[in-house]
Amino acid sequence: MTLPENAYHDRLGDYFAQLAGASPYNAHTDRPATLALAGDVAGRHVLDLGCGAGHYTADLLDRGARVTAVDGSATLLRHARDRVGDRAELRRHDLDTPLDFAADATYDGAVCALVYHHVTARAQLLAELRRVLRPGGWLVLSTTHPTAEWLHHGGSNFDDAWVDARLPDPSLTIRYQRLTLEALLGEWLAAGFTLDRLVEPRPLPQLRDVDEARYEKLSQEPSFLAVRLLTSAR
């Protein structure tokens, strides 16, 4: 089986599963902001797309949601299973292919956290999300902030290159595409979604006690962009 390029496999998956649990970026910045945008999910059927090691899935379950969690990495799905047991439906699926496991109008909402910039077939993915969401449904999506990418890589703010970024472990890299704010909003609106809210997540105050330097950095420089998008109540 060909491994999807948009997922974290093997040692990279294990590394990410350990990192995401308590990292300043994931646990203290993106995850709380993303879940806040999801709002009250009690009794709702939520699709966690690119679920990784199941951290968002676990929180959604704890808030009373019924969750279908999807990822292209068998490694990360093993971590997700260890985290949530049989409380959620877990599926392995390449996000660059149609969501053929889901019928039309299946889910009340969807969460797509920090995976969008890894996907090549983004227009197809958005169209599929529109299809599987119920009328009046919502999509909460987070991705890397274009300003953060420009500050890190330099050069042109309008560069849309695919990059292979090295992690603190220099033997590991992640591949993703730099996307401008114009491109991101253009893709979401062209897919037929309506923008409900847009936030630039700040770290939780508790991070100051854990890593004051990282707290100050994340409080002054954007790292992520998160949106709540709505479908029409057709």
Side-chain angles (χ1 to χ4, degrees):
M1 178 180 179
T2 302
L3 297 178
E5 293 186 5
N6 53 43
Y8 298 168
H9 305 286
D10 303 321
R11 195 160 64 87
L12 177 59
D14 290 330
Y15 174 87
F16 179 77
Q18 181 178 14
L19 182 73
S23 82
Y25 295 94
N26 297 94
H28 292 272
T29 308
D30 181 75
R31 195 152 65 239
T34 298
L35 292 169
L37 284 176
D40 183 4
V41 296
R44 305 297 185 183
H45 192 181
V46 178
L47 176 64
D48 185 359
L49 204 61
C51 68
H55 294 92
Y56 296 79
T57 297
D59 283 335
L60 290 165
L61 290 166
D62 290 344
R63 296 175 184 215
R66 173 188 170 200
V67 182
T68 298
V70 177
D71 202 276
S73 166
T75 304
L76 283 171
L77 285 173
R78 284 196 296 272
H79 287 282
R81 177 64 69 193
D82 289 342
R83 178 159 285 103
V84 304
D86 59 0
R87 293 195 296 152
E89 177 188 0
L90 301 181
R91 286 183 170 272
R92 188 178 182 190
H93 187 83
D94 182 351
L95 299 185
D96 276 318
T97 64
L99 305 179
D100 53 10
F101 58 86
D104 294 359
T106 299
Y107 305 103
D108 298 295
V111 169
C112 185
L114 301 183
V115 68
Y116 189 76
H117 46 287
H118 295 296
V119 176
T120 301
R122 293 189 300 274
Q124 174 182 265
L125 177 62
L126 292 169
E128 281 291 273
L129 283 166
R130 285 266 295 153
R131 178 183 66 81
V132 303
L133 286 170
R134 294 181 178 134
W138 50 266
L139 166 62
V140 170
L141 186 153
S142 65
T143 188
T144 57
H145 198 295
T147 298
E149 291 303 313
W150 178 70
L151 288 172
H152 179 74
H153 294 286
S156 171
N157 173 69
F158 303 105
D159 189 349
D160 61 356
W162 285 84
V163 296
D164 294 294
R166 291 196 176 277
L167 298 173
D169 180 336
S171 67
L172 298 175
T173 61
I174 56 173
R175 183 169 177 77
Y176 64 92
Q177 187 175 11
R178 293 179 61 178
L179 294 165
T180 64
L181 181 60
E182 178 182 357
L184 289 167
L185 287 173
E187 290 179 3
W188 301 333
L189 298 179
F193 286 97
T194 299
L195 178 62
D196 181 40
R197 288 187 61 198
L198 182 151
V199 299
E200 297 170 298
R202 276 76 155 177
L204 295 176
Q206 296 94 306
L207 179 59
R208 187 194 295 272
D209 298 328
V210 178
D211 188 334
E212 186 172 2
R214 199 63 56 84
Y215 173 81
E216 295 298 333
K217 177 180 174 61
L218 288 168
S219 296
Q220 297 176 49
E221 298 179 7
S223 185
F224 305 120
L225 187 71
V227 293
R228 179 181 172 93
L229 305 169
L230 304 179
T231 64
S232 59
R234 54 190 184 277

